[in-house]
Amino acid sequence: MTNKKSVATISLAGCFGCHMSFCDIDERFVDLVELVEIHKSPLTDIKGFEKRVDIGLIEGGVCNDENVEVLKSFRENCDILISLGECAIMGGLPALRNNIPLKDCLEEAYLRVPTTPHSQNIIPHHEDIPKILDKVYPCHEVVKIDYFIPGCPPSADSIWIALEALIKGKEPQLAGVMSYD
Amino acid sequence: MNKLSKNTKKINILLDGKEVEAQEGENIVELAKRHGIDIPVLCYYEGMGECLGTCRVCTIRWKRHHVSACTLKAEEGMDLTIETEDLKDLRKALIELLFVEGNHFCPSCEKSGDCDLQHLGLKLEMTVPRFHYRFNNRSINFDADKILFEHNRCILCKRCTHKFEDDNGERVFAFKGKGSNLSVEMNIERANGLSEELVDQVVELCPVGAILKKGKGFDRPIGKRKYDE
């Protein structure tokens, strides 16, 4: 059996930019795969948790009930949970809607938008479609988050520094490499 | 500017237990800087004269009390505590409060990279505020011809209300309301009368992205901004 640490990732209300930045660690992936196996993640297309995971990376804030469910499952199945990027940390650009009533947001997006054909002016609703929340919430307001890597997206260096430290059981030192944009 | 005068009386004070020479009445932020101690500042800037001490980010300890270094003047025998872990954490908490009180979306802000608040957050290693985001409902004032006022980003530092005047010596910005309803009001007529030079000046004076020049947007790429290294 391998002694490698395991990592899981997910994108909630995010744009996958943080995952793209994660991929920007480039040749350090060679070192990373020596240290970890990537479990449930859009990168592996593994859908569910089949075992307990050491480190979970969360991209995006919480904008609907499915995000809440997924985030809680990550908390239950990961020893360490990391908010990756501005959206996970403070809602990010999706949270720009937080001061606009949800009704107005939906009507603007689906009824008043000029690109919708007149005959199809409906607000989508179905039991299989996640229910949108009143606001976009930072992940740490829904579950306990252990570490935060700011940035939009966080630089590949900051992701690498944090991951490498946590894999080796050390505290991540992000001073000098982090940003908020 | 806190200029040192030959006529000013020389005194000795203690900075973190170390005796240093100062001039009576010298600004403590400038004095500390002269002796290699960098006290974080936000509402204060070099050369502003009397500081209003609104943001409290430069909080230090004197006589067991928390005081703002930018409004404190050197006196004989002062014993000031500046760089302790609890004071650093207090300053960080003040920055975090400003981040949650306003709506600071750095990725979409024109001042990102040139913003004093953002710079301090990074300098004090804030990864996330310890307080809940309030997402206060604030507006943007587009009424003036040359500048816009983004209330979401305003930290009420008083730089624009107290340190900026138009060509006639009249103030363009003023406080309105009280408590959580306090905001900066812009005199549209006077704002429209500002020269391009004064518009640039007030945009630069604002430590965050609250006062912006209309039609400018982003003018420098990431890597070439004020606080990019």
Side-chain angles (χ1 to χ4, degrees), chain B residues 5-12 22-26 74 76:
Chain B
S5 162
K6 283 180 181 176
N7 301 324
T8 315
K9 186 181 163 190
K10 283 193 175 165
I11 56 171
N12 289 312
Q23 297 213 359
E24 193 170 45
E26 191 176 355
E76 179 65 52

Side-chain angles (χ1 to χ4, degrees), chain A residues 11-18 59-64 67 84-102 105-106 132-139 151-152, chain B residues 103-108 135:
Chain A
S11 180
L12 305 177
C15 68
F16 270 92
C18 298
E59 171 188 336
V62 182
C63 81
N64 61 36
N67 293 159
L84 183 65
E86 287 300 297
C87 298
I89 290 173
M90 58 82 69
L93 298 192
L96 283 168
R97 78 164 165 93
N98 280 6
N99 285 315
I100 303 167
L102 185 57
C105 284
L106 291 170
I132 199 159
L133 302 179
D134 61 335
K135 288 183 178 178
V136 179
Y137 292 88
C139 291
C152 183
Chain B
N103 296 312
H104 298 278
F105 293 90
C106 292
S108 63
F135 294 114

Side-chain angles (χ1 to χ4, degrees), chain A residues 98-163:
Chain A
N98 280 6
N99 285 315
I100 303 167
L102 185 57
K103 186 170 179 284
D104 290 353
C105 284
L106 291 170
E107 286 180 359
E108 184 67 29
Y110 294 108
L111 303 185
R112 293 195 292 268
V113 64
T115 51
T116 303
H118 288 301
S119 59
Q120 293 171 23
N121 284 7
I122 55 163
I123 294 173
H125 59 282
H126 187 274
E127 60 182 5
D128 292 342
I129 300 176
K131 303 286 181 296
I132 199 159
L133 302 179
D134 61 335
K135 288 183 178 178
V136 179
Y137 292 88
C139 291
H140 64 277
E141 292 189 11
V142 179
V143 300
K144 181 182 182 295
I145 299 288
D146 303 297
Y147 295 96
F148 301 84
I149 309 176
C152 183
S155 66
D157 283 346
S158 61
I159 298 172
W160 172 250
I161 286 168
L163 264 185

Side-chain angles (χ1 to χ4, degrees), chain B residues 8-45:
Chain B
T8 315
K9 186 181 163 190
K10 283 193 175 165
I11 56 171
N12 289 312
I13 72 169
L14 291 171
L15 298 183
D16 283 334
K18 186 183 163 194
E19 188 169 282
V20 299
E21 192 177 87
Q23 297 213 359
E24 193 170 45
E26 191 176 355
N27 177 296
I28 298 300
V29 171
E30 296 300 331
L31 168 69
K33 192 191 281 181
R34 207 155 51 77
H35 292 283
I37 300 173
D38 183 22
I39 302 174
V41 288
L42 183 53
C43 67
Y44 175 81
Y45 57 92

